[in-house]
């Protein structure tokens, strides 16, 4: 706030204020000499939210949104706008002041410690490498003290040369150190971001130089005259796969840290093109040279390609059912293999997005597509079938370690993805996940307003009633909240040594350690908003005594017990909201998630206080 006063800029009164946050400055408050501190917008919105909690909420309309042209079962645009109470912080000490002399970042001193950190933080959620070749041990980072937020390679104890190692560092440096009391300050976040960008740029340069090195073979299979070259990072990783995996990790970096979907797609397409050039997609499962590393490299690249297509609302350059693909799915040898389910879930979600685009075009057509209703019903049936399949996973093994956590987490992520397909087109207060803020929808669509006949046409096209759609959203959003409540967090102190295996996975994680790689944070946020609107609706029904408005949301209600059923649903909705909010707050170290977290904190204050 004192910085705002120095440059004669209006301060919004938050902590940190928007100006300091956007310019990555330390936000320090200095009392005004002209009548005391200004209360700013934060005070006004808090007061408005508290007043709102003491009065019944207005009834939520289930009508379609006229400015969008898609049938939304939960609310209209104003209902979502009413959830906003500003960018609030849940704890005034959540961003403590940090002197430059106390800055620390994460670093590693050798390849062995770096790869071990990969199996702690990355592999359980995004397994691009084969299983660990050596026993896992507890995380061993170096705490590098800094006196400036500007990245400097000279301060680092170890600088890798391979593109994969550099890309891995670009993500790992974003994880705060467990004992750093200032890890969530703006200065510390700026320092981590600065070093992440240094690593990411170095990784891209290394990939370009890698392409200029002599190529040992077109295919990865070993021959007597031209043996496969192996990476120094893992004995089962062919050397030529490193730039592909580096591009995949850099795509994740662009998504989770920078929220740059276009660059994420560029990295994914470059990785996929390189993989095709190496014929990774045509491996024969019975061929001796078809390694697990090759299968994982291909299918994780395909996963990122599909994920970027979904987020960018575009078509992938290679479809998952392309007949030219013969490479088998990776095998984890667990209770159930997650890859078939994960592939079907992604492909179905992409089809859902494509169908949603067709629904948006219905108003501009003179006649309705003859088979559109049948396609919607067929797609809904497929989503239901895959969702039921995802619910059948019940792993009872007590095995631990990154390779055991990975299939469980991938199965859970597949469940979240397929339930995301039920939720339809998302609405956010801010501009997240490549979507336009609802606060700009009216102005963007004012030149092409939806006609009453267009609304009628879309309603007749959609084969489900508003109540049916609301019940589906309830079930799916609660399923997503359970996924993130049960997701195994990184265990910094896990080791394969028998004497140390008594600790449960995730029982020794740091307070500020992210819970996962947040590459499906958009799914979390959409489920959060769906649960919020449903909670407001049920509360309104309870306060007005009109339970018929939420009767379709109750599970097998009986005459005389409707109030208890509704109150039980309120608790379930609150629990789901708290799970999603806690999960996203845990990943706030990633800048791509931080803006989402600031938005949902304001919604939480208005909804749960």
């Amino acid at each position: 706030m004192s910085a705002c006063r120095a440059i004669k800029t209006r301060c919004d009164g938050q902590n940190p204020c928007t100006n300091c946050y956007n310019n990555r400055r330390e936000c320090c408050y200095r009392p005004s000499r002209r009548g005391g501190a200004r209360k700013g917008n934060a005070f006004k919105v808090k007061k408005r939210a508290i007043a709102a909690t003491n009065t019944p909420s207005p009834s939520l309309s289930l009508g379609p949104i006229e400015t969008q042209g898609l049938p939304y079962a939960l609310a209209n645009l104003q209902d979502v706008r009413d959830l906003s109470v500003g960018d609030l912080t849940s704890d005034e000490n959540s961003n403590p002041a940090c002197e430059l002399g106390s800055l620390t970042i994460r670093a590693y001193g050798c390849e062995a410690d770096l790869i071990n950190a990969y199996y702690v933080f990355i592999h359980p959620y995004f397994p691009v490498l084969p299983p660990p070749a050596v026993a896992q041990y507890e995380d061993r980072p170096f705490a590098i003290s800094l006196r400036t937020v500007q990245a400097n390679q000279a301060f680092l104890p170890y600088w890798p040369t391979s593109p994969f190692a550099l890309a891995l560092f670009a993500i790992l440096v974003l994880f705060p150190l467990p004992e750093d009391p200032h890890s969530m300050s703006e200065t510390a976040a700026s320092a981590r971001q600065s070093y992440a960008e240094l690593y990411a740029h170095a990784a891209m340069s290394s990939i370009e130089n890698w392409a200029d090195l002599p190529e040992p073979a077109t295919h990865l299979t070993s021959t007597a005259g031209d043996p496969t070259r192996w990476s120094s990072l893992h004995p089962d990783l062919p050397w030529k796969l490193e730039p592909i995996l580096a591009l995949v990790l850099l795509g994740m970096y662009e998504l989770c840290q920078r929220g740059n979907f276009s660059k994420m797609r560029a990295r994914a397409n470059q990785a996929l093109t390189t993989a095709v050039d190496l014929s990774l997609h045509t491996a024969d499962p019975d061929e001796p040279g078809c390694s697990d590393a090759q299968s994982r490299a291909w299918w994780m690249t395909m996963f990122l390609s599909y994920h970027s297509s979904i987020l960018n609302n575009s078509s992938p350059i290679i479809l998952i059912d392309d007949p030219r693909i013969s490479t088998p799915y990776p095998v984890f040898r667990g209770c159930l293999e997650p890859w078939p389910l994960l592939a079907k879930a992604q492909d179905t979600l992409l089809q859902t997005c494509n169908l949603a685009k067709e629904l948006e075009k219905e108003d501009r057509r003179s006649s309705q597509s003859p088979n559109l209703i049948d396609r919607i019903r067929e797609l809904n049936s497929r989503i239901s079938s895959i969702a039921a399949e995802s619910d059948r996973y019940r792993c009872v093994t007590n095995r631990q370690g990154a390779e055991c956590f990975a299939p469980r987490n991938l199965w859970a992520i597949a469940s979240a993805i397929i339930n995301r397909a039920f939720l339809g087109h998302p609405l956010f207060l801010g501009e997240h996940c490549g979507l336009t803020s609802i606060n700009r929808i009216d102005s963007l669509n004012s030149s092409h307003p939806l006609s009453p006949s267009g609304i009628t046409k879309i309603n007749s096209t959609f084969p489900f009633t508003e109540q049916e759609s609301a019940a589906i959203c309830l079930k799916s959003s609660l399923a997503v909240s359970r996924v993130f409540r049960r997701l195994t967090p990184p265990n910094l102190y896990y080791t394969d040594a028998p004497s140390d295996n008594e600790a449960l996975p995730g029982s020794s994680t740091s307070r500020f350690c992210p819970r996962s790689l947040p590459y499906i944070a958009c799914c979390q946020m959409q489920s959060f908003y769906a649960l919020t609107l449903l909670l407001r609706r049920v509360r309104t029904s309870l306060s007005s005594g009109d339970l018929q408005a939420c009767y379709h949301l109750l599970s097998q209600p009986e005459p005389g017990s409707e109030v208890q059923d509704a109150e039980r649903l309120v608790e379930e909705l609150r629990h789901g909201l708290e799970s999603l909010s806690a999960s996203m707050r845990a990943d706030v170290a990633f800048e791509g998630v931080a803006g989402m977290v600031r938005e949902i904190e304001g919604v939480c204050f208005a909804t749960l206080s």
Side-chain angles (χ1 to χ4, degrees), residues 320-538:
I320 209 165
D321 57 354
D322 192 304
R324 295 171 295 178
I325 299 176
S326 60
T327 301
Y329 289 129
V331 176
F332 292 94
R333 299 177 179 85
C335 295
L336 285 176
E337 294 298 333
W339 260 107
L341 177 70
L342 190 62
K344 286 188 289 187
Q346 266 202 318
D347 186 51
T348 304
L349 179 55
L350 182 65
Q351 292 184 39
T352 304
C353 296
N354 292 336
L355 193 58
K357 287 191 293 184
E358 291 190 40
L359 282 173
E360 289 179 330
K361 299 176 182 177
E362 278 299 299
D363 184 53
R364 295 190 289 270
R365 293 174 178 168
S366 57
S367 60
Q368 180 176 302
S369 301
N371 62 342
L372 189 57
I373 294 180
D374 293 336
R375 288 173 56 199
I376 294 175
R377 291 189 180 277
E378 181 182 351
L379 185 59
N380 181 74
S381 176
R382 181 180 180 186
I383 295 172
S384 300
S385 175
I386 299 175
E389 181 182 351
S390 69
D391 290 338
R392 289 197 289 268
Y393 182 77
R394 294 292 183 271
C395 189
V396 296
T397 179
N398 292 322
R399 296 173 58 198
Q400 308 296 324
E403 186 68 4
C404 297
F405 299 152
R408 303 174 200 171
N409 290 334
L410 286 182
W411 192 282
I413 289 169
S415 177
I417 289 174
I418 196 60
N419 280 284
R420 154 72 177 83
F422 273 127
L423 295 176
H425 195 78
L427 289 175
F428 298 145
L429 293 168
E431 295 190 4
H432 306 295
C433 305
L435 299 169
T436 302
S437 166
I438 63 169
N439 295 315
R440 294 182 56 203
I441 287 178
D442 289 334
S443 60
L444 291 175
N445 291 340
S446 59
S447 58
H448 300 285
L450 190 62
S451 62
S453 61
I455 298 174
T456 303
K457 183 191 298 184
I458 291 176
N459 287 338
S460 64
T461 300
F462 203 67
F464 304 106
T465 66
E466 295 166 354
Q467 291 187 345
E468 289 173 336
S469 298
I472 291 172
C473 286
L474 171 64
K475 181 179 179 181
S476 299
S477 299
L478 288 175
V480 172
S481 73
R482 288 192 295 271
V483 165
F484 288 97
R485 187 187 314 148
R486 300 167 182 170
L487 202 63
T488 305
N491 188 346
L492 284 63
Y493 306 108
Y494 174 81
T495 172
D496 284 331
S499 59
D500 294 329
N501 273 347
E502 296 178 1
L504 293 175
S507 61
S508 301
T509 54
S510 164
R511 174 188 173 190
F512 296 120
C513 178
R515 291 191 61 185
S516 64
L517 275 181
Y519 53 86
I520 53 173
C522 296
C523 174
Q524 292 173 266
M525 194 170 187
Q526 185 176 1
S527 300
F528 178 88
Y529 268 107
L531 292 180
T532 301
L533 293 169
L534 288 166
L535 177 59
R536 289 191 62 182
R537 175 164 195 168
V538 177

Side-chain angles (χ1 to χ4, degrees), residues 256-285:
C256 299
Q257 171 61 15
R258 303 186 64 190
N260 192 325
F261 292 171
S262 60
K263 277 196 174 182
M264 171 204 179
R265 181 162 176 77
R267 303 288 183 264
N269 287 346
Q270 186 178 352
L272 193 60
T273 302
T274 307
V276 171
D277 290 342
L278 288 176
S279 301
L280 297 191
H281 63 296
T282 59
D284 185 350

Side-chain angles (χ1 to χ4, degrees), residues 110 112-113 116 120 134-140 492 494-496:
C110 62
D113 289 347
N116 185 74
V120 173
V134 297
Q136 279 188 256
Y137 50 87
E138 64 182 30
D139 188 36
R140 297 177 184 174
L492 284 63
Y494 174 81
T495 172
D496 284 331

Side-chain angles (χ1 to χ4, degrees), residues 3 46 164 223 243 248 407 420:
K46 280 187 178 182
F164 179 75
T223 62
V248 169
R420 154 72 177 83

Side-chain angles (χ1 to χ4, degrees), residues 539-551:
R539 279 178 168 175
T540 301
S541 297
L542 280 170
S543 62
S544 65
D546 180 19
L547 294 179
Q548 289 297 324
C550 68
Y551 209 77

